[in-house]
Amino acid sequence: MTDGGGTWVLGVDSGGSGVRFALGRAEEGSPAEVSASDEPVRTGRTGIDAGHLLGQLVPAAMELLGRVGADRVAAVAVGAAGMASLGDDLRAKLPPGLAGAFGVRRVALAADAVTAYAGALGQRPGAVVAAGTGMIALGTDLTRWRRADGWGHLLGDCGGGAWIGRAGLEAAMRAHDGRRGGSAALLARAEALFGPAPELPGLLYPRTDRPAMLAAFAPEVARCAGSDPVAGAILREAARGIAESAAAVCPGGRAVTPGAGAADGENAGAARGVTADTARGESVSECEVALTGGLFRIGDPLLVPVREELAALSPSARTVPAAGDPLAGALLIASALARDELRLPHHPRMLWVTTEQDT
Amino acid sequence: MTDGGGTWVLGVDSGGSGVRFALGRAEEGSPAEVSASDEPVRTGRTGIDAGHLLGQLVPAAMELLGRVGADRVAAVAVGAAGMASLGDDLRAKLPPGLAGAFGVRRVALAADAVTAYAGALGQRPGAVVAAGTGMIALGTDLTRWRRADGWGHLLGDCGGGAWIGRAGLEAAMRAHDGRRGGSAALLARAEALFGPAPELPGLLYPRTDRPAMLAAFAPEVARCAGSDPVAGAILREAARGIAESAAAVCPGGRAVTPGAGAADGENAGAARGVTADTARGESVSECEVALTGGLFRIGDPLLVPVREELAALSPSARTVPAAGDPLAGALLIASALARDELRLPHHPRMLWVTTEQDT
């Protein structure tokens, strides 16, 4: 019940199912104490609601600090879903709020893909795929971030849970209609899960969580993939989508022209680089790719084709296990920030850092 | 300004942009007078609002009858989008409402695909594809209806406007990310139409008319198809989707086992019939396929591959021009009903007919 003179840091992971907190020593980087709330932070007209997050964060941090007998933290890192596009309120209000509550001056606000990256690979260059209902890939050579996909269920998320489930339900409806490309096995699974096929549109379209309902069918597609060729082809194409995103963000996996390739809209010019480089078989440095997120609980029916597709697309890529989860990643970023050792690239929307002195 | 002793019938076409009315002689089947309202019929908890439709239909019919100096109609046929799943209120209230207003006892309520069919092919066996934002195919051998697709933008509508636009925008985002399968030309068109690519999700997902926004990009894909291979491949795959649906509903285009193949959920058993039949190259009777709806205004970039894919899939199919539109189809059904010559198959949800006598 004493802080032993060490430096404490706080990591926060804010997601769709709630907020998790981890307190650890800056020197160790692993959590000493953790807690969680099952109340997701609200999103309002100004984006993610900073006041709502602070209202959970401050008492949770107080409680964790109390457990170790400390009263201040040297750095805080918050990873949040939607930070890239919805983080304005957080960037404006979280640093002064945290300074007022704990005297902390070092604050990092990160997109959830960045905390997933840090949790999986630490501060090494490489790439991470985060796949659940959606799918996004993020890579860095430690000079800039590259992002691929993560555009949602209508514009991309190619190979994610909603993508797989949607393709599976389309194959079910094809079988129902007697169209080419149908799967009787997937039709049977769809009707077992959701009822008669013709009533599926009436169940799906009125919902606000359509991607989640689509993703709920992904495990059924995976279950059929071993015996049903249509389901197998869907998982193969999902694996290809995931590998394409991983390959696009792998540092060293292709020629990176200076100025091209940053996250959030600057890497369009490199579009044709992938195929050309791999076709020439150039010698490039190895790229570690970590596959993270709930979708990969599907296991081998997805993992095996992902590794095969990635090997074909980007011979320098090698899949590696993720060391930790996004909460561990947030804590790692906070620790690095406290020790002046943050090497992951700063970026206004991906990894925003403030180290202002008290004025 | 006199009815000349003839028998008058009324056709009604209720769609997303309003309601159209056509009055004609039962003996001729072509409209003598037409009018239109730009107020779409409301859909409420009980489906399409019968009171709202009657409130437009009765004065419109009165006005049309006044133009020709008549005061009664022998039959009314109403085609409505959503009739198959949302027609309960119409089936309950429209016949008594029309009986009360005009003394009419012969009423047909048809899915909009059925009026599209009747407008395009009259009462001949064949198949019709109706494609706009969505896509549905309907065929009949005059003993039963076969339906394929029309399941909406997440479960199917394969090859429709939203499908083409969505695929085009995915290719744009792939180019933005530097992923394989991207199209720089489509990225340029997407940014010209909607602004910077990374902001597209924020524009699209909050809307309630997402399929319409996706479909708005379909003409851009068509415009690029001649010079951009990715856009060309999207139109080719759309054409395949359309041809697959047409082939699935063509009478005589495949073995039809008795009891299988009716619309609305009974034709799953015939799923494997298509490929087997065409592979054997059996001699089957010719099937006329009419391509209708606004999507085909794209013209040759879509029509040419549709004809090629259909020929490959179903050698007995032959595309023919549509004789008329869904309003003409509604009038044709009303005329046939008045003359006791309706040969299109009755069906509780596709073509519901009442000819009850006054009691």
Side-chain angles (χ1 to χ4, degrees):
Chain A
M1 285 304 193
T2 164
D3 71 356
T7 305
W8 294 97
V9 296
L10 183 72
V12 181
D13 175 41
S14 171
S17 55
V19 190
R20 298 185 304 153
F21 307 92
L23 186 72
R25 290 181 188 277
E27 301 75 23
E28 294 172 0
S30 56
E33 298 287 344
V34 297
S35 69
S37 127
D38 58 6
E39 189 183 349
V41 175
R42 283 192 297 263
T43 297
R45 283 188 307 118
T46 57
I48 301 165
D49 186 330
H52 192 218
L53 176 56
L54 275 169
Q56 294 192 48
L57 193 161
V58 172
M62 294 285 195
E63 197 265 324
L64 292 177
L65 284 166
R67 289 193 210 167
V68 301
D71 59 4
R72 63 191 310 277
V73 292
V76 175
V78 176
M83 182 73 80
S85 50
L86 301 169
D88 287 347
D89 199 44
L90 290 187
R91 285 181 281 264
K93 297 184 187 158
L94 219 55
L98 291 170
F102 303 107
V104 62
R105 295 282 168 271
R106 298 179 182 218
V107 175
L109 300 179
D112 54 349
V114 169
T115 49
Y117 186 100
L121 295 177
Q123 300 206 68
R124 302 198 302 280
V128 65
V129 173
T133 298
M135 197 283 299
I136 189 171
L138 192 67
T140 184
D141 58 3
L142 302 188
T143 72
R144 63 165 70 85
W145 293 104
R146 281 181 181 279
R147 167 202 171 147
D149 213 343
W151 304 117
H153 72 295
L154 291 175
L155 297 170
D157 283 5
C158 299
W163 188 99
I164 292 172
R166 198 213 64 74
L169 291 173
E170 182 189 312
M173 299 314 289
R174 283 176 174 268
H176 168 80
D177 293 346
R179 276 180 289 155
R180 189 165 63 172
S183 158
L186 290 174
L187 177 59
R189 294 311 307 147
E191 297 207 312
L193 220 67
F194 301 118
E199 286 159 36
L200 196 47
L203 288 177
L204 176 63
Y205 293 114
R207 292 174 60 145
T208 53
D209 63 341
R210 288 175 294 274
M213 180 169 161
L214 296 172
F217 195 62
E220 303 292 338
V221 179
R223 213 159 289 145
C224 294
S227 55
D228 181 74
V230 171
I234 289 170
L235 279 205
R236 169 65 61 175
E237 199 183 335
R240 196 171 299 136
I242 290 167
E244 285 163 346
S245 280
V249 302
C250 261
R254 58 175 184 180
V256 180
T257 51
D264 279 332
E266 298 168 347
N267 52 344
R272 282 167 301 274
V274 184
T275 316
D277 290 357
T278 53
R280 284 201 302 273
E282 284 179 357
S283 164
V284 285
S285 62
E286 187 172 77
C287 170
E288 290 183 308
V289 178
L291 307 177
T292 70
L295 185 70
F296 294 108
R297 282 199 294 267
I298 284 177
D300 281 349
L302 183 61
L303 290 171
V304 169
V306 165
R307 290 197 196 101
E308 290 172 357
E309 294 291 333
L310 191 58
L313 204 54
S314 183
S316 65
R318 183 172 62 92
T319 57
V320 297
D325 67 4
L327 181 61
L331 191 66
L332 184 142
I333 291 170
S335 298
L337 192 58
R339 300 193 317 266
D340 274 325
E341 291 174 5
L342 185 60
R343 293 189 302 275
L344 293 174
H346 298 206
H347 183 280
R349 299 205 282 181
M350 303 297 282
L351 179 55
W352 183 86
V353 176
T354 176
T355 56
E356 290 160 28
Q357 297 304 307
D358 204 1
T359 52
Chain B
M1 287 306 190
T2 163
D3 71 355
T7 303
W8 294 95
V9 296
L10 183 72
V12 181
D13 175 42
S14 171
S17 54
V19 191
R20 298 185 303 153
F21 306 92
L23 186 71
R25 289 181 187 278
E27 300 77 22
E28 295 173 357
S30 57
E33 300 285 345
V34 298
S35 69
S37 128
D38 58 4
E39 189 182 349
V41 175
R42 282 192 298 262
T43 298
R45 282 188 309 119
T46 57
I48 301 166
D49 186 330
H52 192 218
L53 176 57
L54 276 169
Q56 294 192 48
L57 193 161
V58 172
M62 294 285 195
E63 198 265 325
L64 292 176
L65 284 165
R67 290 193 211 168
V68 300
D71 61 3
R72 63 189 312 276
V73 291
V76 175
V78 176
M83 182 73 79
S85 50
L86 301 169
D88 287 347
D89 198 44
L90 291 187
R91 285 181 282 264
K93 297 184 187 159
L94 219 55
L98 291 169
F102 303 107
V104 62
R105 295 282 169 271
R106 299 179 180 219
V107 175
L109 300 179
D112 54 349
V114 169
T115 49
Y117 186 100
L121 296 177
Q123 300 206 70
R124 302 197 302 279
V128 66
V129 173
T133 298
M135 198 284 297
I136 189 170
L138 193 67
T140 185
D141 58 2
L142 303 188
T143 71
R144 64 164 70 85
W145 293 104
R146 280 181 181 280
R147 167 204 171 146
D149 214 344
W151 303 117
H153 71 295
L154 291 175
L155 298 169
D157 283 5
C158 299
W163 188 99
I164 292 172
R166 199 213 64 75
L169 291 173
E170 183 189 313
M173 300 313 288
R174 283 177 175 268
H176 168 78
D177 294 346
R179 276 180 289 154
R180 189 165 63 172
S183 158
L186 290 174
L187 177 59
R189 295 310 307 147
E191 297 208 310
L193 220 66
F194 301 118
E199 286 159 36
L200 196 47
L203 289 177
L204 175 64
Y205 293 113
R207 290 173 61 145
T208 53
D209 63 341
R210 288 175 293 275
M213 179 169 162
L214 296 172
F217 195 61
E220 303 291 339
V221 179
R223 213 160 290 145
C224 294
S227 55
D228 182 74
V230 171
I234 290 170
L235 280 205
R236 170 64 61 175
E237 199 183 335
R240 196 170 300 135
I242 291 168
E244 284 163 346
S245 280
V249 302
C250 260
R254 58 174 184 179
V256 179
T257 51
D264 279 332
E266 297 166 347
N267 52 345
R272 281 166 302 274
V274 183
T275 317
D277 290 356
T278 53
R280 284 201 302 275
E282 284 178 358
S283 164
V284 286
S285 62
E286 188 172 75
C287 169
E288 290 182 310
V289 178
L291 307 176
T292 71
L295 185 70
F296 293 108
R297 283 201 292 267
I298 284 177
D300 281 348
L302 183 61
L303 289 170
V304 169
V306 165
R307 290 197 196 101
E308 290 171 357
E309 294 291 334
L310 191 58
L313 204 53
S314 184
S316 65
R318 183 172 63 92
T319 58
V320 297
D325 67 3
L327 181 62
L331 191 66
L332 184 144
I333 291 171
S335 297
L337 193 57
R339 299 193 316 268
D340 274 326
E341 290 173 5
L342 185 61
R343 293 190 302 275
L344 294 174
H346 297 206
H347 183 280
R349 299 206 281 181
M350 302 298 281
L351 179 54
W352 184 85
V353 175
T354 175
T355 55
E356 289 160 29
Q357 298 303 309
D358 204 0
T359 52

